[in-house]
Amino acid sequence: GTTDQINVTWNTAGIITDGQQNISIRIEDKANNVNTRNLAVTLDRRPPSTTVLSPTTTSRYRPNSTIPVLINFADQFANSILAQNVDVLIQSTTGQTLGRVARVSSTANGATLAWTGRIRTRGLPRTFRLVVTATDRAGNPAVNQQVEVRLR
């Protein structure tokens, strides 16, 4: 034929465990020319977990202060969570987005990403929510985390 590209659907339903998988593609034309290509891929169907270390729901913060934000993300494979796939929002208690938390740094250590940021409380209501979302490289969304923050 004249087609130089083909699309093949890969159904992973029969694969029990995630991890490295090998895909072998064998192509044969009408003249019995054969070509084989082997690809190594990582199958990742498990979502990452999120732990908000700071702020906590039990802490009280002063108005016009800076609140440190510390969040750990863990996934089953190394380097599968990227900082740009993390979104940390400040929302009112009614769900209105007031802004984003400024990222200060992020450090990947194996299958964990430590994300740090800061909230400047000037102009924020006395009670607001921190809403954390993340997606790993495979597109698996973490369970959204929410922390209610109270100013004194």
Side-chain angles (χ1 to χ4, degrees):
T2 59
T3 303
D4 60 354
Q5 291 184 357
I6 60 167
N7 292 320
V8 178
T9 301
W10 183 37
N11 185 348
T12 61
I15 301 173
I16 296 171
T17 58
D18 287 4
Q20 178 133 349
Q21 306 291 324
N22 294 308
I23 299 173
S24 181
I25 300 172
R26 183 178 183 274
I27 299 171
E28 182 176 345
D29 67 9
K30 291 181 181 181
N32 292 323
N33 296 310
V34 176
N35 195 351
T36 302
R37 179 75 49 121
N38 294 307
L39 304 167
V41 297
T42 301
L43 179 59
D44 180 2
R45 298 172 286 196
R46 189 180 319 156
S49 64
T50 306
T51 306
V52 178
L53 303 171
S54 172
T56 65
T57 56
T58 58
S59 299
R60 299 291 182 265
Y61 301 94
R62 290 182 308 205
N64 300 321
S65 65
T66 300
I67 300 172
V69 178
L70 306 169
I71 306 167
N72 280 344
F73 300 93
D75 204 12
Q76 63 180 334
F77 300 111
N79 301 314
S80 64
I81 305 222
L82 302 174
Q84 58 263 35
N85 293 348
V86 173
D87 200 11
V88 186
L89 298 176
I90 301 166
Q91 290 185 349
S92 69
T93 55
T94 61
Q96 178 187 8
T97 299
L98 304 174
R100 281 194 162 75
V101 175
R103 178 171 47 121
V104 174
S105 69
S106 61
T107 305
N109 184 8
T112 302
L113 175 75
W115 191 98
T116 61
R118 67 172 178 248
I119 300 170
R120 293 197 172 130
T121 60
R122 183 178 307 257
L124 291 177
R126 285 241 187 253
T127 303
F128 59 90
R129 288 187 200 132
L130 186 73
V131 180
V132 180
T133 60
T135 305
D136 68 11
R137 285 183 185 219
N140 301 310
V143 174
N144 292 356
Q145 298 292 317
Q146 292 189 19
V147 175
E148 192 166 281
V149 180
R150 295 176 191 261
L151 303 179
R152 293 184 201 166

